[in-house]
Amino acid sequence: MPQTKILLDENEIPSHWYNVVADMPSPPAPPLGPDGKPVGPDALAAIFPEALIEQEVSTERWIPIPEQVREIYRLWRPAPLYRAHRLEEALGTPARIYYKYEGVSPAGSHKPNTAVAQAYYNRQAGIKRLTTETGAGQWGSSLALAGQLFGLEVRVYMVRVSYEQKPFRRSMMHTWGAEVLASPSERTEAGRRILAGDPDSPGSLGIAISEAVQEAASRDDTNYALGSVLNHVLLHQTIIGQEAKRQFEKIGEYPDAIFAPCGGGSNFGGVAFPFLADKAAGREIRLVAVEPTSCPTLTKGHYAYDFGDAIGMTPLLLMYTLGHDFVPPGIHAGGLRYHGDSALVSQLHHEGLVEAVAVPQLATFEAGVRFARSEGILPAPESNHAICAVIEEALRCKESGESRVLFFNLSGHGHFDMAAYDSFFAGELEDFDYPEEAIEESLARLPKVG
Amino acid sequence: MPQTKILLDENEIPSHWYNVVADMPSPPAPPLGPDGKPVGPDALAAIFPEALIEQEVSTERWIPIPEQVREIYRLWRPAPLYRAHRLEEALGTPARIYYKYEGVSPAGSHKPNTAVAQAYYNRQAGIKRLTTETGAGQWGSSLALAGQLFGLEVRVYMVRVSYEQKPFRRSMMHTWGAEVLASPSERTEAGRRILAGDPDSPGSLGIAISEAVQEAASRDDTNYALGSVLNHVLLHQTIIGQEAKRQFEKIGEYPDAIFAPCGGGSNFGGVAFPFLADKAAGREIRLVAVEPTSCPTLTKGHYAYDFGDAIGMTPLLLMYTLGHDFVPPGIHAGGLRYHGDSALVSQLHHEGLVEAVAVPQLATFEAGVRFARSEGILPAPESNHAICAVIEEALRCKESGESRVLFFNLSGHGHFDMAAYDSFFAGELEDFDYPEEAIEESLARLPKVG
């Protein structure tokens, strides 16, 4: 009988995170301050612990994973690598399709990989509370879990429209002991300012970030945690790709192409970077970031310095961006609605080491349902993007008769996204037009640098 | 670092199901017809395939698992055995606590173990469609998944009140291609009769069973599938306990006591029966079925012949029952709201091989939250019953200083039950009084036999 799952024992959880900076053709472009000058690590000290700031700027290839973090990882890691026998059969493709399933974490996605690490370092630094933002709730619930496991209080600013529409992610955060506030809130100056202008504001990720950062910056016992984009976040996620490499080794396979959804970039970076080390050493492998056509940062954005948040509180990062105040259409893959991209992923894309494709919403749900009906697992809308790109590639292999090894990150389950599937089955799901005008307008507002 | 998960390779998926009938002190009491005479296997042929009827009455100790069923099991099995280090620490108990996590299946509970087997045998018998009932939706979604994997159409009669209150379980069934009807429906005579009397009927499990059975009995291409109670269902679930035994062997442990939620009995039987074989051979081990105080079949019911459904369509089974038309209070653990119990579990309880305890709703949610906050996983309300009993036992061990090995079945996750957690946190969850009068009344309506 063909093997379906390639498992690792928990003693095989990697001992180090992999830092792609060590293998990049050129050093990462520095973040800049409003004056156009590079921002030093100490500018971040008000909201991040020293250990994470060090990781943010480290050039070391290997960074040890603390024993206490690995202990928590054991609750669900190593995550299984699946061979998608039934999907291959359904497609009639000669391609061999594999996926890493990160939905086995208690929060249901890859996000706890970094949430646990961030909670640990903050706890070590004597921090008592963490603030963060969340849209659909994947990240907020992961940090709630991590905070609970390390005895930290967590306050989550949840975009108001999601707070009202996705009550069950909120319940999940409550169960893990976190406080959840609808954002904009009355608790912060940023929130009050927005509410003064628009008492019925539905909120946005940008506003929620501002609230969480503002609170963290104003309290000594409180730090801020971010779920993607930053270098240290991508670093923590490399545990995914590292495990996958060992799993492929075990069965004597190696992927020809890797696909992962790409919003802020931690999902893609986490699975792709450990393989990029091989690519940098000359191995042939395609690394494909999959983004929504309605928020096409890598495929249609500018490579330019821009703010990480919507209202311009963060340092400037050199990245692919649609403009920091671009508001993407309301697709269900909330985790992919980010105006920019990780600076590391952006630079690697700019240098041609990483590819990107964009896929429309309807096709992603068609792909997700096809997947669920052959493999069982119900994927998250974000994960459906990778599935969509893999199915297209597998069908190309069918045409050409090539038996390629395709690998994707099934970053999470869709148990809290069933309303999106309902819309799909009801025929109510839209393919948004490419928001060309809105992007042009927001790109015109890119900050001038230097 | 202490081991957290004890895994098995997929080649270690058991090759046979274990039939407890072979080790019972006395043969199972036969089901009886309305005339008080034993019902032959052929009476079931209109709604079940031959292979399942054979399993229903088999006395063989080992029944081989078909290769195609084991292939599907590989999608999530073997399920991990966890050592609850963090829960032990939180309780300060010297007890060693283990749990088998069945929430790793795509449907999120142990139910697919039998759904897949039932779909397989029906497919083998040339059946094209399956009907079933579902309350909260755990069973319906498991059969939807299994039907999809074997190319069978599935129609689920879902209790109307759940159909309206739990739309996301319904979405899950749609995603796997099943048709879901609110019951009572206009499709069956049983449904139409109920609607004629009460057009706004909220439905009940009893009515939904009648509809599903009626449709299956009336169509040659259609059979019926049940998610618990029957011998063949418990048989399929013994894969849980068998895997657990191997996992305990691997680490040189053996449980002193096993706890599982008990509604119809397949969860409890599945985990406990393989250990009962050892108990029958003289080994000391406690097997504890945990039920809700509001539906206390084993702890307060009569051991008597009664109908399996609410309106008296099934043969009579000798079991602990509260009366076939007893309607339990609306606790959130929908899977435990059954008036009776598996005949096998009932007989073993009657013969003193199996214990039972009842726990109140509020305590089960307190236990579930405690569990989630130390172990991460968010448990289903049904599973919270086992957790509650285990925590009580672990605290007794703390008092007595005994280092017992406690083992329970974490039968499913609570991702589709977050509204129940919301009620708990809002202080709106009730402990229902023991419904003594209602039980007395329904017991007075037990059918006269012989």
Side-chain angles (χ1 to χ4, degrees), chain A residues 127-442:
Chain A
I127 289 297
K128 303 267 181 283
R129 302 175 66 252
L130 289 175
T131 61
T132 198
E133 74 292 332
T134 203
Q138 285 273 21
W139 168 242
S141 53
S142 299
L143 196 70
L145 168 68
Q148 175 63 235
L149 296 175
F150 283 108
L152 290 167
E153 278 178 45
V154 173
R155 177 178 284 173
V156 181
Y157 290 91
M158 186 171 190
V159 176
R160 184 178 296 276
V161 60
S162 300
Y163 182 91
E164 279 156 12
Q165 285 173 357
K166 301 213 171 184
F168 295 146
R169 273 280 170 196
R170 209 198 315 160
S171 325
M172 200 176 200
M173 294 185 255
H174 287 155
T175 308
W176 286 320
E179 186 188 1
V180 188
L181 301 176
S183 166
S185 79
E186 292 285 354
R187 302 286 182 106
T188 67
E189 206 198 299
R192 287 190 295 270
R193 207 167 55 194
I194 301 284
L195 288 172
D198 176 8
D200 298 324
S201 165
S204 77
L205 216 43
I207 298 167
I209 293 179
S210 305
E211 290 205 272
V213 168
Q214 216 165 49
E215 179 181 336
S218 71
R219 287 184 59 159
D220 281 348
D221 65 346
T222 303
N223 267 348
Y224 168 73
L226 187 65
S228 189
V229 181
L230 295 178
N231 301 359
H232 68 269
V233 180
L234 274 70
L235 175 79
H236 301 152
Q237 294 294 358
T238 59
I239 192 155
I240 304 171
Q242 285 191 72
E243 283 180 8
K245 279 180 86 168
R246 287 200 201 186
Q247 286 162 317
F248 277 115
E249 251 171 58
K250 276 204 165 185
I251 52 168
E253 286 267 41
Y254 193 90
D256 293 302
I258 299 183
F259 301 81
C262 193
S266 77
N267 185 333
F268 174 74
V271 69
F273 284 177
F275 291 89
L276 193 131
D278 299 345
K279 187 178 176 110
R283 182 136 200 176
E284 226 177 284
I285 178 170
R286 292 176 55 205
L287 306 172
V288 187
V290 190
E291 55 184 22
T293 46
S294 54
C295 188
T297 48
L298 293 169
T299 51
K300 305 263 192 183
H302 284 199
Y303 188 54
Y305 269 101
D306 198 4
F307 295 110
D309 68 324
I311 61 174
M313 289 179 68
T314 71
L316 293 163
L317 301 167
L318 181 55
M319 61 182 178
Y320 283 91
T321 178
L322 301 170
H324 57 277
D325 59 3
F326 169 66
V327 178
I331 56 167
H332 285 277
L336 306 184
R337 292 178 69 239
Y338 184 61
H339 70 273
D341 254 300
S342 142
L344 295 178
V345 171
S346 293
Q347 184 165 330
L348 289 163
H349 180 52
H350 189 66
E351 289 171 348
L353 284 159
V354 154
E355 296 171 49
V357 296
V359 290
Q361 173 158 271
L362 270 174
T364 65
F365 276 88
E366 275 159 24
V369 169
R370 202 162 186 178
F371 182 84
R373 291 187 178 177
S374 50
E375 295 291 312
I377 297 167
L378 276 167
E382 291 82 4
S383 309
N384 285 345
H385 285 70
I387 296 172
C388 182
V390 162
I391 289 180
E392 280 175 17
E393 185 69 24
L395 293 175
R396 274 191 293 273
C397 289
K398 184 179 181 176
E399 250 172 68
S400 67
E402 284 165 302
S403 178
R404 293 265 169 80
V405 177
L406 310 179
F407 169 44
F408 71 97
N409 194 24
L410 184 58
S411 49
H413 61 61
H415 299 171
F416 292 85
D417 305 284
M418 297 312 295
Y421 282 91
D422 282 347
S423 305
F424 173 70
F425 288 120
E428 290 162 4
L429 215 59
E430 287 179 77
D431 266 345
F432 296 95
D433 286 334
Y434 167 60
E436 196 167 350
E437 238 171 81
I439 291 176
E440 262 173 39
E441 277 174 31
S442 62

